[in-house]
């Protein structure tokens, strides 16, 4: 049984953690990067934001964390005085949907795959219910389009990739693809196995995205710098190589512990710098084994 002192100490730790998070957000600067035509990319803390501005108003893809909303909206105002029309969530993780409440209050209609709404309807990691304003009010199952600022934006569901509710968004006239977290430029991806993600689904999502792009396409990844088709292709080849190496080791009978300890499985891509991000080589090997090992 927890004593009052335990509750007191836990409260102090929680307060310090919250203060630290707030201070970290206070230091964040939102960077605006022109992409193509009316489309821009905003960098801050969390997933890359896509913004389309024009006569119809403002269309936003992802909104990072709630404490950054004021800065994000200020950056958007520098691009357009038009009304905030839509925010599309590429998936449910808080660094992509954490600003939903503030964006709804600013006038946006939240759009996402139906599984994003289902997950946001569940309590957060602290057991707290999310407010109604955090939930998407327009959802889709397979594919939908939004016509805004002179072009069709195609929204495609790619299942069991990063999560079970991922969307790719393609601007058909501007020739811009926003991948959400189905693409980490130059880094190993985070594949959330506990939220329906899988290695095979992730690779399938990248191949689906490759079908939409050409040499002139600008690609906004979930994390990392603005990308080209060549960058995207290198990422796909890395995933294919890792899957091949992993299956070879698994089929040879490696245990989980042996697999995770075997640096040769990821060595080629570690040397190219893919393991320098949030997912290091060891974590990537753990994910590969857990996802690809076929249980009896």
């Amino acid at each position: 049984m927890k004593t009052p002192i335990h509750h007191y100490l836990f409260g102090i730790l929680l307060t310090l953690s919250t203060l630290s998070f707030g201070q970290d957000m206070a230091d964040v600067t939102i960077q605006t990067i022109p992409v193509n035509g009316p489309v821009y990319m905003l960098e801050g803390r969390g997933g890359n934001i896509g913004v389309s501005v024009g006569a119809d108003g403002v269309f936003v893809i992802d909104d990072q964390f709630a404490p950054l909303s004021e800065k994000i909206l200020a950056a958007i105002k520098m691009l357009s005085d038009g009304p905030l029309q839509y925010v599309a969530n590429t998936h449910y993780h808080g660094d992509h949907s954490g600003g939903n409440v503030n964006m709804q209050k600013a006038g946006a209609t939240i759009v996402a795959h139906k599984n994003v709404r289902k997950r946001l309807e569940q309590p957060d990691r602290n057991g707290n219910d999310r407010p109604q304003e955090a939930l998407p009010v327009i959802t889709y199952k397979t594919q939908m389009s939004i016509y805004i600022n002179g072009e069709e934006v195609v929204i495609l569901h790619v299942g069991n990739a990063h999560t079970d509710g991922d969307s790719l968004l393609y601007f058909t006239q501007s020739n811009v693809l926003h991948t959400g977290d189905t693409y980490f430029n130059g880094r190993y991806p985070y594949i959330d196995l506990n939220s329906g993600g899988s290695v095979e689904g992730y690779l399938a999502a990248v191949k689906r995205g490759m079908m939409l792009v050409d040499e002139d396409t600008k690609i906004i990844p979930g994390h990392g710098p603005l990308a080209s088709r060549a960058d995207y292709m290198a990422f796909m080849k890395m995933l294919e190589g890792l899957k091949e190496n992993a299956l070879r080791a698994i089929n040879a009978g490696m245990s989980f512990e042996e697999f995770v300890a075997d640096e040769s499985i990821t060595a080629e891509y570690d040397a190219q710098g893919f393991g320098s991000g949030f997912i290091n080589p060891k974590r990537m090997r753990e994910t590969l084994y857990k996802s690809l090992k076929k249980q009896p």
Side-chain angles (χ1 to χ4, degrees), residues 216-290:
D216 298 320
T217 307
K218 302 296 184 182
I219 303 169
I220 301 175
H223 297 268
L226 191 65
S228 66
R229 185 179 185 276
D231 298 321
Y232 202 28
M233 178 69 75
F235 182 78
M236 185 181 75
K237 294 297 185 184
M238 176 271 294
L239 289 175
E240 289 177 330
L242 285 183
K243 180 183 174 183
E244 181 179 340
N245 293 349
L247 287 175
R248 185 183 303 114
I250 290 170
N251 292 335
M254 269 194 185
S255 68
F256 175 74
E257 291 74 17
E258 291 169 334
F259 186 97
V260 172
D262 190 344
E263 297 180 359
S264 70
I265 293 168
T266 56
E268 177 183 351
Y269 307 103
D270 298 345
Q272 296 175 35
F274 282 101
S276 60
F278 173 61
I279 301 300
N280 61 31
K282 180 176 181 289
R283 289 192 66 186
M284 191 68 237
R285 293 193 295 273
E286 289 173 349
T287 298
L288 287 166
Y289 191 95
K290 290 177 181 178

Side-chain angles (χ1 to χ4, degrees), residues 65-135:
F65 298 102
L68 294 176
S69 294
E70 185 175 344
K71 292 181 179 182
I72 291 167
L73 289 168
I76 292 172
K77 279 294 183 184
M78 296 295 292
L79 298 174
S80 172
D81 287 326
L84 181 59
Q85 300 284 25
Y86 301 99
V87 170
N89 294 149
T90 60
H91 61 290
Y92 86 99
H93 286 155
D95 63 323
H96 294 257
S97 68
N100 279 8
V101 171
N102 296 330
M103 294 298 166
Q104 292 248 38
K105 290 179 179 178
T109 298
I110 308 296
V111 181
H113 187 263
K114 64 185 184 67
N115 287 343
V116 173
R117 182 178 173 100
K118 287 180 180 179
R119 290 197 176 274
L120 290 178
E121 285 175 331
Q122 300 171 5
D124 64 22
R125 66 180 60 186
N126 297 316
N128 301 315
D129 291 333
R130 295 179 174 90
Q132 188 71 21
E133 293 85 357
L135 306 180

Side-chain angles (χ1 to χ4, degrees), residues 36-59:
N36 210 13
V39 181
Y40 296 80
M41 182 174 91
L42 304 185
E43 290 182 324
R45 179 72 56 81
N48 290 327
I49 296 172
V51 180
S52 168
V53 297
D56 298 325
V58 179
F59 173 53

